[in-house]
């Protein structure tokens, strides 16, 4: 029978070290009958006698001597591991893998991750920039930065910052085409879509919610490509304010249909598990929440 109760092993070592069962029972905070019963259970489980006991003295059997030597080593190794884990739980170290959308990752997450890494010399970080939603467990990713809600209930999502989306186009495009006044006007425009669906539903909120089903003029699974197409005057794009705030402020892009808000897609940190988060992950999440400042 395998020993699957470390408490029994510790009690046995304590009995040998203390020289008596009663002393070991006092050290363990249990009664003498309870200690005697546990020791009998250990012997019964192993099928051998470990101690020769009389009213005056106790001595190890040959099997008891073998178990004692091994048990002392096992418990010492375990204590060393526990101490090492305890030290690591107080420090940020090890490997941290983060994934983020391309545009947001380049502009916002990469600088923050570099600064965070500089604060923790024992940390090794990797940043995977992609607009594809990765399987975090399969890819070995600790944290994903994502827009919008959580599709997989096996993951945990932590809100980081608000985010709203806007429709925008270049001044040159709007000079060539009539500025849309209502969402249905988009049907007569060249619309740029992130995603590879043959059709796309663009939803608008407000007093009279409306959904427009579009056949995108240009579509890509890369948000940065769609952003570039909009800047080059190829059409109207639906983009996160995080991606286009600077272009709107500089006049490189112009917002359209501002009176018809698009459903928000707040920025979230997504990670596989909520219990026993590694210190590097927990500390990075706190750092992101504190330093990820939204676009002005």
């Amino acid at each position: 029978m395998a020993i699957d109760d470390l408490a029994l092993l510790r009690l046995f070592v304590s009995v040998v070290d203390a020289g008596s069962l009663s002393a070991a029972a006092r050290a363990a905070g249990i009664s003498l009958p309870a200690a005697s019963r546990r020791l009998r259970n250990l012997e019964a489980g192993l099928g051998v006698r470990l101690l020769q006991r009389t009213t005056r003295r106790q001595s190890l059997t040959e099997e008891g001597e073998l178990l004692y030597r091994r048990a002392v080593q096992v418990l010492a190794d375990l204590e060393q591991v526990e101490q090492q884990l305890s030290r690591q739980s107080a420090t940020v170290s090890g490997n941290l893998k983060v994934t983020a959308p391309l545009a947001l990752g380049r502009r916002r997450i990469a600088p923050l991750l570099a600064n965070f890494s500089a604060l923790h010399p024992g940390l090794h970080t990797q940043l995977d920039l992609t607009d594809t939603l990765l399987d975090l467990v399969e890819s070995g990713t600790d944290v994903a930065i994502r827009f919008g809600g959580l599709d997989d209930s096996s993951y945990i999502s932590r809100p980081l910052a608000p985010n709203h989306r806007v429709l925008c186009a270049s001044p040159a495009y709007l000079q060539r085409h009539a500025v849309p006044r209502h969402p249905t006007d988009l049907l007569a425009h060249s619309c740029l879509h992130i995603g590879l669906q043959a059709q796309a539903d663009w939803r608008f909120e407000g007093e009279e919610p409306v959904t427009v089903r579009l056949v995108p003029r240009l579509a890509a699974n890369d948000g940065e490509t769609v952003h570039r197409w909009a800047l080059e005057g190829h059409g109207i794009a639906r983009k996160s304010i995080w991606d286009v705030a600077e272009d709107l402020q500089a006049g490189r892009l112009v917002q359209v249909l501002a009176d018809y808000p698009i459903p928000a897609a707040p920025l979230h940190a997504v990670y596989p598990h909520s219990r026993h988060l590694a210190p590097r992950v927990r500390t990075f999440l706190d750092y992101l929440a504190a330093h990820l400042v939204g676009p002005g």
Side-chain angles (χ1 to χ4, degrees):
M1 176 180 177
I3 301 173
D4 55 5
D5 191 338
L6 288 174
L8 290 180
L9 207 56
R10 288 192 174 98
L11 176 63
F12 171 66
V13 170
S14 179
V15 169
V16 177
D17 291 343
S20 71
L21 186 59
S22 57
R26 286 194 299 271
I30 59 177
S31 66
L32 179 59
S36 180
R37 183 171 59 254
R38 293 181 187 182
L39 192 58
R40 288 197 302 271
N41 289 341
L42 177 61
E43 290 179 325
L46 294 172
V48 296
R49 191 165 185 81
L50 301 173
L51 289 167
Q52 298 289 357
R53 296 181 293 275
T54 67
T55 56
R56 294 180 176 272
R57 61 187 297 272
Q58 69 177 24
S59 60
L60 286 169
T61 64
E62 181 179 349
E63 292 80 8
E65 180 69 34
L66 174 62
L67 178 62
Y68 175 75
R69 290 198 306 270
R70 297 293 177 85
V72 167
Q73 184 61 53
V74 167
L75 293 175
D77 290 344
L78 181 61
E79 182 179 0
Q80 184 178 5
V81 171
E82 289 174 342
Q83 290 175 352
Q84 182 178 353
L85 291 176
S86 179
R87 287 193 298 270
Q88 287 184 353
S89 69
T91 61
V92 176
S93 60
N95 299 315
L96 177 67
K97 186 174 181 180
V98 180
T99 184
L102 282 162
L104 178 76
R106 290 192 186 111
R107 294 189 180 98
R108 306 281 183 163
I109 305 304
L112 287 178
L113 190 57
N115 293 338
F116 180 74
S117 182
L119 294 174
H120 304 285
L123 189 67
H124 301 277
T125 60
Q126 291 180 311
L127 178 59
D128 186 349
L129 297 181
T130 176
D131 288 330
T132 300
L133 297 184
L134 299 177
D135 183 308
L136 302 189
V137 175
E138 183 178 325
S139 63
T141 301
D142 296 298
V143 179
I145 312 302
R146 291 179 178 171
F147 291 114
L150 188 61
D151 295 329
D152 192 331
S153 60
S154 65
Y155 293 155
I156 306 300
S157 179
R158 174 173 172 174
L160 291 176
N163 167 61
H164 65 275
R165 292 178 290 181
V166 298
L167 293 188
C168 54
S170 71
Y173 176 84
L174 295 175
Q175 287 175 2
R176 299 193 308 268
H177 302 82
V179 177
R181 303 300 179 186
H182 187 273
T184 54
D185 293 343
L186 295 171
L187 295 171
H189 278 268
S190 173
C191 292
L192 314 175
H193 183 65
I194 303 173
L196 299 181
Q197 307 95 322
Q199 294 180 324
D201 289 338
W202 285 11
R203 294 193 299 118
F204 299 86
E205 298 175 330
E207 293 184 3
E208 297 182 4
V210 59
T211 298
V212 179
R213 176 156 293 183
L214 303 167
V215 177
R217 173 70 177 81
L218 287 169
N221 63 350
D222 174 13
E224 192 76 349
T225 296
V226 172
H227 187 181
R228 177 55 55 187
W229 284 339
L231 289 170
E232 293 172 352
H234 294 294
I236 298 175
R238 184 178 61 172
K239 291 291 293 180
S240 162
I241 191 64
W242 288 78
D243 294 339
V244 297
E246 295 177 359
D247 295 314
L248 293 173
Q249 291 168 1
R252 292 185 293 268
L253 292 174
V254 177
Q255 184 177 358
V256 299
L257 295 177
D259 293 335
Y260 296 88
I262 301 171
L267 198 60
H268 288 77
V270 178
Y271 46 99
H273 307 291
S274 61
R275 297 183 60 192
H276 308 303
L277 272 180
R280 58 184 175 273
V281 176
R282 183 176 59 252
T283 307
F284 178 62
L285 292 174
D286 292 340
Y287 184 87
L288 273 181
H291 292 84
L292 193 58
V293 180

